[in-house]
Amino acid sequence: MNPLPAGPMELTLALAVVKTLVLVVGSVITYFSFKAYRRTRQRALGCLTAGFGLVTLGFVLAGMLYELLGVHLVTGILLESLLVLAGFLVIAYSLYVQ
């Protein structure tokens, strides 16, 4: 863990639990989306899978970078936000494309 915690230990633990749940649920959604893409080979489902993967990765990455690699928290949050934005754009595209 980072020697300079971002808040009280209880909040740090709660954040770790929530981020882990986001990773698990996001991974399950991405997996089922990928299975649907493999079954149908529809381009929109492939984009949807990529979008869910980017959003999931974005939500989890900031905390991991901060805790494991010592990256500044603001830098991690910026990267997280960029990945979530990219994921949402890909998801929007997948819903637009037919």
Side-chain angles (χ1 to χ4, degrees):
M1 284 184 56
N2 195 320
L4 301 172
M9 186 54 93
E10 295 83 14
L11 288 178
T12 303
L13 181 61
L15 182 61
V17 168
V18 169
K19 289 288 189 175
T20 301
L21 290 173
V22 167
L23 176 63
V24 170
V25 173
S27 297
V28 168
I29 291 170
T30 303
Y31 172 74
F32 285 131
S33 177
F34 180 70
K35 277 182 58 174
Y37 166 71
R38 265 196 355 220
R39 187 175 58 249
T40 64
R41 296 291 182 200
Q42 290 183 357
R43 182 175 177 213
L45 281 175
C47 290
L48 189 67
T49 300
F52 280 131
L54 284 171
V55 168
T56 301
L57 179 64
F59 278 135
V60 172
L61 197 59
M64 283 180 37
L65 288 174
Y66 175 73
E67 288 293 331
L68 300 178
L69 300 178
V71 173
H72 287 283
L73 188 58
V74 174
T75 305
I77 292 172
L78 175 62
L79 182 59
E80 170 188 11
S81 299
L82 288 171
L83 283 172
V84 170
L85 174 63
F88 283 150
L89 287 172
V90 172
I91 289 170
Y93 176 77
S94 76
L95 296 173
Y96 177 75
V97 172
Q98 191 51 291

